[in-house]
Amino acid sequence: MKERLKLIQEILNCCEGLALLAGIIAWWYITDKRIKAFVLYLLFIVVCELLGWYFKKYKMTAENMILYNYFVMPAEFLFSYWFLYSYMPGKKIKAICIAFSAISILSRIIELTFLKDERLFFSSLSYVISSLLLLILILLFLWQFIKSDKLLQLERHFEFWVAIAFLIYYLGSFPLWTFYNYLYNTSKESFYVYWQIQMYLNMLMYLLFATALIWTNIKYRSSLR
Protein backbone atom coordinates (compact mmCIF):
# COMPACT_ATOMS: atom_id res chain seq x y z
CA MET A 1 0.00 0.00 0.00
CA LYS A 2 2.81 2.42 0.87
CA GLU A 3 4.43 1.90 -2.53
CA ARG A 4 1.11 2.48 -4.28
CA LEU A 5 0.45 5.69 -2.33
CA LYS A 6 3.98 6.85 -3.06
CA LEU A 7 3.45 6.26 -6.78
CA ILE A 8 0.13 8.13 -6.73
CA GLN A 9 1.80 11.06 -4.95
CA GLU A 10 4.56 11.14 -7.57
CA ILE A 11 2.01 11.14 -10.40
CA LEU A 12 0.14 13.99 -8.70
CA ASN A 13 3.38 15.95 -8.42
CA CYS A 14 3.93 15.40 -12.15
CA CYS A 15 0.43 16.76 -12.86
CA GLU A 16 1.19 19.83 -10.74
CA GLY A 17 4.47 20.30 -12.57
CA LEU A 18 2.73 19.91 -15.94
CA ALA A 19 0.21 22.61 -15.03
CA LEU A 20 3.04 24.92 -13.97
CA LEU A 21 4.97 24.18 -17.18
CA ALA A 22 1.89 25.02 -19.26
CA GLY A 23 1.58 28.25 -17.32
CA ILE A 24 5.23 29.19 -17.82
CA ILE A 25 4.97 28.58 -21.57
CA ALA A 26 1.77 30.64 -21.76
CA TRP A 27 3.15 33.44 -19.55
CA TRP A 28 4.77 35.41 -22.37
CA TYR A 29 1.56 35.61 -24.39
CA ILE A 30 -1.00 36.12 -21.61
CA THR A 31 -2.04 39.71 -20.89
CA ASP A 32 -4.66 38.98 -18.22
CA LYS A 33 -3.01 39.62 -14.84
CA ARG A 34 -5.47 37.27 -13.12
CA ILE A 35 -4.23 34.35 -15.20
CA LYS A 36 -0.64 35.33 -14.52
CA ALA A 37 -1.46 35.36 -10.81
CA PHE A 38 -2.81 31.85 -11.27
CA VAL A 39 0.52 30.73 -12.75
CA LEU A 40 2.33 32.21 -9.75
CA TYR A 41 -0.08 30.30 -7.52
CA LEU A 42 0.89 27.06 -9.28
CA LEU A 43 4.55 27.94 -8.72
CA PHE A 44 3.80 28.39 -5.01
CA ILE A 45 2.13 24.96 -4.87
CA VAL A 46 5.04 23.22 -6.59
CA VAL A 47 7.61 24.90 -4.32
CA CYS A 48 5.62 23.90 -1.23
CA GLU A 49 5.34 20.32 -2.49
CA LEU A 50 9.13 20.20 -2.88
CA LEU A 51 9.55 21.60 0.61
CA GLY A 52 7.04 19.05 1.94
CA TRP A 53 8.98 16.27 0.21
CA TYR A 54 12.16 17.49 1.93
CA PHE A 55 10.46 17.52 5.35
CA LYS A 56 9.04 14.04 4.79
CA LYS A 57 12.36 12.64 3.59
CA TYR A 58 14.12 13.77 6.76
CA LYS A 59 11.14 12.85 8.98
CA MET A 60 10.44 16.46 9.97
CA THR A 61 6.78 15.70 10.75
CA ALA A 62 6.07 18.79 12.84
CA GLU A 63 7.53 21.13 10.21
CA ASN A 64 5.52 19.38 7.49
CA MET A 65 2.24 19.78 9.40
CA ILE A 66 3.00 23.46 10.07
CA LEU A 67 3.74 24.01 6.37
CA TYR A 68 0.43 22.55 5.20
CA ASN A 69 -1.83 23.60 8.10
CA TYR A 70 -0.58 27.18 8.44
CA PHE A 71 0.52 28.04 4.90
CA VAL A 72 -0.48 25.74 2.04
CA MET A 73 -4.14 25.01 2.84
CA PRO A 74 -5.05 28.58 3.90
CA ALA A 75 -3.29 29.91 0.78
CA GLU A 76 -5.19 27.46 -1.46
CA PHE A 77 -8.55 28.62 -0.18
CA LEU A 78 -7.75 32.32 -0.06
CA PHE A 79 -6.40 32.29 -3.60
CA SER A 80 -9.46 30.34 -4.83
CA TYR A 81 -11.77 32.90 -3.18
CA TRP A 82 -9.81 35.77 -4.70
CA PHE A 83 -9.74 34.18 -8.16
CA LEU A 84 -13.53 33.75 -8.20
CA TYR A 85 -13.95 37.22 -6.68
CA SER A 86 -11.96 38.75 -9.54
CA TYR A 87 -14.45 37.37 -12.08
CA MET A 88 -17.65 37.92 -10.08
CA PRO A 89 -19.99 40.66 -11.35
CA GLY A 90 -21.67 42.98 -8.87
CA LYS A 91 -20.72 44.38 -5.47
CA LYS A 92 -23.04 42.08 -3.51
CA ILE A 93 -21.48 38.87 -4.79
CA LYS A 94 -17.98 40.30 -4.34
CA ALA A 95 -18.93 41.15 -0.74
CA ILE A 96 -19.93 37.51 -0.22
CA CYS A 97 -16.48 36.43 -1.43
CA ILE A 98 -14.82 38.76 1.07
CA ALA A 99 -17.08 37.57 3.90
CA PHE A 100 -16.39 33.91 3.08
CA SER A 101 -12.65 34.59 3.06
CA ALA A 102 -12.89 36.16 6.53
CA ILE A 103 -14.93 33.20 7.84
CA SER A 104 -12.38 30.76 6.40
CA ILE A 105 -9.50 32.54 8.10
CA LEU A 106 -11.40 32.83 11.38
CA SER A 107 -12.37 29.14 11.40
CA ARG A 108 -8.75 28.09 10.93
CA ILE A 109 -7.52 30.45 13.65
CA ILE A 110 -10.13 29.10 16.06
CA GLU A 111 -9.32 25.48 15.28
CA LEU A 112 -5.57 25.91 15.49
CA THR A 113 -5.76 27.83 18.78
CA PHE A 114 -8.88 27.49 20.92
CA LEU A 115 -10.00 24.10 19.59
CA LYS A 116 -6.56 22.58 19.17
CA ASP A 117 -6.55 18.84 19.95
CA GLU A 118 -3.32 16.91 19.60
CA ARG A 119 -5.26 13.68 19.04
CA LEU A 120 -6.52 14.96 15.72
CA PHE A 121 -4.19 14.26 12.82
CA PHE A 122 -5.81 16.80 10.54
CA SER A 123 -7.59 20.15 11.03
CA SER A 124 -10.82 18.85 9.57
CA LEU A 125 -13.36 21.41 10.82
CA SER A 126 -11.82 24.51 9.26
CA TYR A 127 -11.08 22.64 6.04
CA VAL A 128 -14.69 21.47 5.74
CA ILE A 129 -16.03 24.97 6.44
CA SER A 130 -13.66 26.50 3.88
CA SER A 131 -14.52 23.81 1.31
CA LEU A 132 -18.26 24.34 1.78
CA LEU A 133 -17.91 28.10 1.39
CA LEU A 134 -15.80 27.61 -1.74
CA LEU A 135 -18.37 25.25 -3.24
CA ILE A 136 -21.06 27.89 -2.68
CA LEU A 137 -18.91 30.51 -4.43
CA ILE A 138 -18.24 28.16 -7.34
CA LEU A 139 -21.95 27.54 -7.81
CA LEU A 140 -22.63 31.29 -7.64
CA PHE A 141 -19.91 31.91 -10.20
CA LEU A 142 -21.22 29.22 -12.56
CA TRP A 143 -24.76 30.55 -12.22
CA GLN A 144 -23.59 34.03 -13.19
CA PHE A 145 -21.50 32.60 -16.01
CA ILE A 146 -24.42 30.62 -17.43
CA LYS A 147 -26.60 33.73 -17.47
CA SER A 148 -23.96 35.74 -19.37
CA ASP A 149 -23.04 35.83 -23.05
CA LYS A 150 -19.81 34.01 -22.20
CA LEU A 151 -21.71 30.72 -22.28
CA LEU A 152 -21.73 30.88 -26.09
CA GLN A 153 -17.93 30.48 -26.11
CA LEU A 154 -17.29 28.83 -22.76
CA GLU A 155 -14.27 26.91 -24.05
CA ARG A 156 -12.46 30.23 -24.55
CA HIS A 157 -12.80 31.35 -20.92
CA PHE A 158 -9.99 30.24 -18.62
CA GLU A 159 -11.96 31.03 -15.46
CA PHE A 160 -14.75 28.62 -16.42
CA TRP A 161 -12.42 25.62 -16.62
CA VAL A 162 -10.72 26.57 -13.37
CA ALA A 163 -14.12 26.76 -11.66
CA ILE A 164 -15.08 23.34 -13.07
CA ALA A 165 -11.76 21.90 -11.87
CA PHE A 166 -12.36 23.34 -8.38
CA LEU A 167 -15.91 21.96 -8.37
CA ILE A 168 -14.85 18.43 -9.35
CA TYR A 169 -12.11 18.24 -6.73
CA TYR A 170 -13.75 19.90 -3.73
CA LEU A 171 -17.15 18.30 -4.27
CA GLY A 172 -15.66 14.86 -4.82
CA SER A 173 -13.25 15.04 -1.89
CA PHE A 174 -15.70 16.66 0.54
CA PRO A 175 -16.72 13.36 2.24
CA LEU A 176 -13.09 12.44 2.94
CA TRP A 177 -12.22 15.77 4.54
CA THR A 178 -15.45 15.75 6.54
CA PHE A 179 -14.76 12.35 8.12
CA TYR A 180 -10.96 12.43 7.84
CA ASN A 181 -10.08 11.94 11.50
CA TYR A 182 -12.88 9.44 12.11
CA LEU A 183 -11.86 7.24 9.18
CA TYR A 184 -8.16 7.57 9.99
CA ASN A 185 -8.72 6.39 13.57
CA THR A 186 -11.38 3.71 13.01
CA SER A 187 -11.01 2.28 9.51
CA LYS A 188 -7.64 2.64 7.83
CA GLU A 189 -8.75 0.52 4.87
CA SER A 190 -11.69 2.82 4.08
CA PHE A 191 -9.51 5.83 4.73
CA TYR A 192 -6.93 4.80 2.14
CA VAL A 193 -9.64 4.04 -0.43
CA TYR A 194 -11.07 7.55 -0.06
CA TRP A 195 -7.56 9.00 0.05
CA GLN A 196 -6.73 7.48 -3.33
CA ILE A 197 -9.98 8.80 -4.82
CA GLN A 198 -9.08 12.25 -3.52
CA MET A 199 -5.64 12.00 -5.10
CA TYR A 200 -7.10 11.01 -8.48
CA LEU A 201 -9.50 13.97 -8.30
CA ASN A 202 -6.53 16.19 -7.46
CA MET A 203 -4.70 14.92 -10.54
CA LEU A 204 -7.74 15.65 -12.69
CA MET A 205 -7.95 19.17 -11.29
CA TYR A 206 -4.34 19.98 -12.21
CA LEU A 207 -4.71 18.39 -15.63
CA LEU A 208 -7.70 20.64 -16.24
CA PHE A 209 -5.57 23.61 -15.14
CA ALA A 210 -2.91 22.55 -17.64
CA THR A 211 -5.49 22.11 -20.41
CA ALA A 212 -7.01 25.53 -19.68
CA LEU A 213 -3.57 27.18 -19.77
CA ILE A 214 -2.67 25.45 -23.03
CA TRP A 215 -5.93 26.58 -24.62
CA THR A 216 -5.44 30.10 -23.26
CA ASN A 217 -1.93 30.16 -24.72
CA ILE A 218 -3.29 29.16 -28.13
CA LYS A 219 -6.03 31.78 -27.91
CA TYR A 220 -3.65 34.62 -27.05
CA ARG A 221 -1.10 33.60 -29.67
CA SER A 222 -3.82 33.43 -32.31
CA SER A 223 -4.95 36.95 -31.44
CA LEU A 224 -1.45 38.25 -32.15
CA ARG A 225 -1.38 36.96 -35.71
Side-chain angles (χ1 to χ4, degrees):
M1 175 62 73
K2 288 184 178 180
E3 290 300 319
R4 179 179 177 84
L5 293 176
K6 182 180 179 181
L7 176 61
I8 293 174
Q9 180 64 54
E10 290 174 352
I11 295 174
L12 172 59
N13 293 151
C14 289
C15 292
E16 293 168 344
L18 180 63
L20 176 59
L21 179 60
I24 292 172
I25 295 172
W27 178 276
W28 309 108
Y29 297 95
I30 294 172
T31 57
D32 192 327
K33 293 182 179 179
R34 294 169 294 186
I35 302 178
K36 286 194 170 185
F38 191 88
V39 177
L40 293 176
Y41 164 73
L42 292 176
L43 176 61
F44 168 80
I45 293 297
V46 170
V47 170
C48 288
E49 289 285 17
L50 290 173
L51 189 56
W53 170 84
Y54 175 84
F55 288 153
K56 188 174 182 180
K57 180 180 180 180
Y58 291 98
K59 299 181 180 179
M60 302 168 68
T61 305
E63 290 80 357
N64 205 27
M65 291 184 68
I66 290 173
L67 172 66
Y68 283 94
N69 279 325
Y70 288 87
F71 294 99
V72 178
M73 288 186 288
E76 286 178 337
F77 283 114
L78 291 178
F79 180 83
S80 301
Y81 295 149
W82 171 82
F83 186 80
L84 294 173
Y85 166 90
S86 68
Y87 285 98
M88 289 288 199
K91 293 182 179 180
K92 290 184 178 180
I93 296 182
K94 287 182 178 292
I96 293 174
C97 293
I98 295 172
F100 281 8
S101 299
I103 294 172
S104 176
I105 294 172
L106 183 61
S107 67
R108 184 156 293 273
I109 292 174
I110 291 174
E111 185 165 36
L112 294 177
T113 54
F114 302 106
L115 301 180
K116 187 175 182 180
D117 189 341
E118 294 182 356
R119 293 174 300 173
L120 296 180
F121 181 75
F122 176 71
S123 302
S124 183
L125 177 62
S126 59
Y127 195 97
V128 169
I129 291 173
S130 298
S131 295
L132 182 60
L133 296 177
L134 180 57
L135 285 169
I136 293 173
L137 289 181
I138 293 169
L139 293 176
L140 284 173
F141 167 80
L142 291 175
W143 174 248
Q144 294 294 326
F145 188 90
I146 290 172
K147 293 195 302 180
S148 70
D149 295 335
K150 294 179 180 180
L151 183 63
L152 299 175
Q153 292 183 314
L154 59 86
E155 76 281 355
R156 298 177 62 86
H157 294 281
F158 177 79
E159 68 274 18
F160 172 79
W161 294 109
V162 170
I164 291 298
F166 283 155
L167 181 64
I168 291 173
Y169 175 73
Y170 285 101
L171 187 61
S173 63
F174 193 79
L176 170 67
W177 302 120
T178 303
F179 301 105
Y180 189 102
N181 291 296
Y182 174 78
L183 290 173
Y184 186 83
N185 292 319
T186 61
S187 178
K188 290 290 178 63
E189 183 177 348
S190 298
F191 171 83
Y192 286 120
V193 170
Y194 281 107
W195 180 258
Q196 291 179 69
I197 293 173
Q198 176 268 150
M199 294 292 277
Y200 292 134
L201 290 172
N202 214 352
M203 292 177 200
L204 178 58
M205 179 175 70
Y206 281 97
L207 289 175
L208 283 173
F209 291 163
T211 302
L213 285 165
I214 291 170
W215 174 252
T216 300
N217 185 16
I218 294 172
K219 181 182 74 172
Y220 274 93
R221 292 179 69 176
S222 298
S223 66
L224 296 175
R225 293 174 182 174

